[in-house]
Amino acid sequence: MKNILIAVWLSVPVIMGCERVVNIDVEEGPERLVVEGRIERHQDDRAVAQSIRLSTTAPYFSNEATPVVSGAEVIVHDDEGTTYLFAESSRQAGMYENRDMRPEVGRTYTLEIDLEGESYRAVETLLPVAPIDSIYQQFEKANSFEDGGIRVKIDYQDVPGREDYYLWEQFADDVLQAEPDPGNSLNFVGSDEFFDGEHVIGFEPNQEATVKSDQLVLVRQLSLSKEAFEYYFLLFEETGQDPLFPTPASLIRGNIENLTNPQRYALGYFGASEVDTAELQIVEERGP
C-alpha cells in the first residue's frame, strides 16, 4: 500500500492561498496486461497496417511511462479460419503489426495472445458504418458554455432499421483533438437510438475543439458494437471525473478474457470497425 501526500490549494476571500495536506492510502492492485487494438476496414478498401499495442498497468499516481510488453505471441483469426500473425515491430517495442490483413464487414475476428504462460482471448464482429456525406467549417460565437472560433461539422445519413453505434475521431494537422469529459461523452461516441434513419446535419465530431486557418482536419467515423460503445462511453465518463481524485481506469472491464487465470483479467478493448474519413483544409474566417 502506498501513502500519498497531495497538496490542495484553496481559494477563498481574504486568503490568497492555503495549502492543505491530504493523506491518501492507495492500494496497489495486481499488474495487468493492457490491450489497445482495433481491426479496421476502410470504406475506400485501401490496405492499411493493422496494429495491437500491449503494455502493463503502472502503479497508480506513478510518473513513469506505461511499461510495454515484448515477446508475446499475437494472432488474429476470422470466422472462416484464416489466421494472421501480428509480429512485434522492430521500431516500437510492444507494438504488434500485420500489413497483409484485409478485414471484411460481417466477419467475426478473434484475438489470441500468449504471454508468459497465460492465454488471453477477445472476440468482435466488424460492423458497417454510414459514410460521411460532407464536411465543412462554421464560425461560432462565444457563449456561456463554449469559446468562439471555427468548428468542423459533418453531415451523414444514418441507415434506417439498423442499430448503429458510432465513434468519432478528429485530427488537426495529424494531432488527435480529444478532451473527453462527462459533458461530451455522447459526442465522441453515440447511438442512433433517437435518430434512426435520419439525415444528420451539422454534427460536430468534437464539440470541445476549435481549429485554425490553414490547418488540415481529418474526421474519422467508425462503427462500434454495442459492447464497444458501452465500454468507450464509460471510459470517457471516467476520464472526465474530478482530476484531483480520479477513479482508477482498472475499474472498467473490456472484452479481453484471461483463459488461464480468469481472476487476472486484462484491461482494454479489442475492437473491429469499418471507417469512413473526410478531410477539410481550413480557410480564414472571421465572425461578424
Side-chain angles (χ1 to χ4, degrees):
M1 181 174 294
K2 182 185 294 185
N3 186 265
I4 306 292
L5 299 181
I6 297 181
V8 181
W9 290 95
L10 304 177
S11 177
V12 295
V14 181
I15 302 176
M16 295 300 294
C18 292
E19 186 176 0
R20 176 165 60 92
V21 176
V22 180
N23 292 284
I24 303 176
D25 290 329
V26 178
E27 188 72 40
E28 299 294 354
E31 182 182 274
R32 298 187 187 277
L33 176 67
V34 180
V35 180
E36 302 169 75
R38 182 171 57 226
I39 301 302
E40 293 187 355
R41 187 263 176 191
H42 287 248
Q43 285 194 344
D44 58 11
D45 203 31
R46 57 190 167 92
V48 296
Q50 309 292 336
S51 60
I52 296 169
R53 182 178 185 271
L54 302 183
S55 60
T56 60
T57 52
Y60 200 47
F61 288 124
S62 171
N63 293 323
E64 299 177 359
T66 304
V68 299
V69 172
S70 291
E73 180 180 317
V74 180
I75 65 171
V76 172
H77 60 83
D78 62 25
D79 51 7
E80 290 187 328
T82 306
T83 298
Y84 304 91
L85 174 65
F86 280 63
E88 187 169 8
S89 170
S90 59
R91 304 178 306 278
Q92 186 177 354
M95 187 68 73
Y96 297 78
E97 301 174 327
N98 183 290
R99 298 182 178 276
D100 300 321
M101 188 177 186
R102 300 294 292 270
E104 299 178 30
V105 171
R107 296 261 77 85
T108 296
Y109 295 92
T110 300
L111 168 69
E112 295 182 350
I113 301 171
D114 286 327
L115 176 65
E116 297 178 350
E118 295 191 339
S119 297
Y120 299 84
R121 181 182 65 187
V123 182
E124 188 82 326
T125 299
L126 198 158
L127 302 174
V129 71
I132 299 173
D133 294 335
S134 57
I135 182 171
Y136 48 95
Q137 67 181 68
Q138 185 172 318
F139 184 88
E140 301 283 355
K141 293 182 180 180
N143 55 45
S144 301
F145 304 99
E146 297 177 334
D147 295 331
I150 302 173
R151 299 186 181 276
V152 173
K153 302 192 176 191
I154 61 173
D155 299 343
Y156 65 94
Q157 175 66 57
D158 184 71
V159 178
R162 190 177 74 190
E163 190 175 273
D164 287 316
Y165 298 91
Y166 296 91
L167 169 69
W168 292 278
E169 295 175 339
Q170 180 173 310
F171 295 79
D173 292 337
D174 296 325
V175 177
L176 178 63
Q177 295 182 298
E179 298 176 12
D181 61 48
N184 66 20
S185 55
L186 280 174
N187 186 235
F188 291 123
V189 293
S191 80
D192 66 351
E193 179 181 1
F194 300 110
F195 58 86
D196 177 59
E198 294 184 10
H199 190 203
V200 180
I201 299 175
F203 177 77
E204 294 182 27
N206 190 332
Q207 293 179 353
E208 299 287 327
T210 58
V211 293
K212 299 178 181 178
S213 178
D214 296 328
Q215 284 190 310
L216 180 63
V217 175
L218 171 70
V219 170
R220 288 162 45 89
Q221 182 162 282
L222 301 92
S223 63
L224 293 178
S225 65
K226 182 179 181 180
E227 293 75 19
F229 164 77
E230 292 171 347
Y231 171 81
Y232 282 115
F233 180 82
L234 290 174
L235 184 66
F236 289 139
E237 285 254 302
E238 180 179 287
T239 306
Q241 295 292 333
D242 187 337
L244 182 59
F245 301 111
T247 306
S250 59
L251 293 182
I252 298 180
R253 292 279 300 271
N255 64 344
I256 318 295
E257 299 178 274
N258 186 328
L259 303 179
T260 307
N261 183 2
Q263 299 302 315
R264 196 166 179 260
Y265 58 84
L267 302 179
Y269 199 95
F270 169 69
S273 299
E274 185 176 41
V275 187
D276 193 32
T277 62
E279 284 188 339
L280 177 67
Q281 186 74 50
I282 303 300
V283 298
E284 185 175 3
E285 184 172 347
R286 299 184 184 276

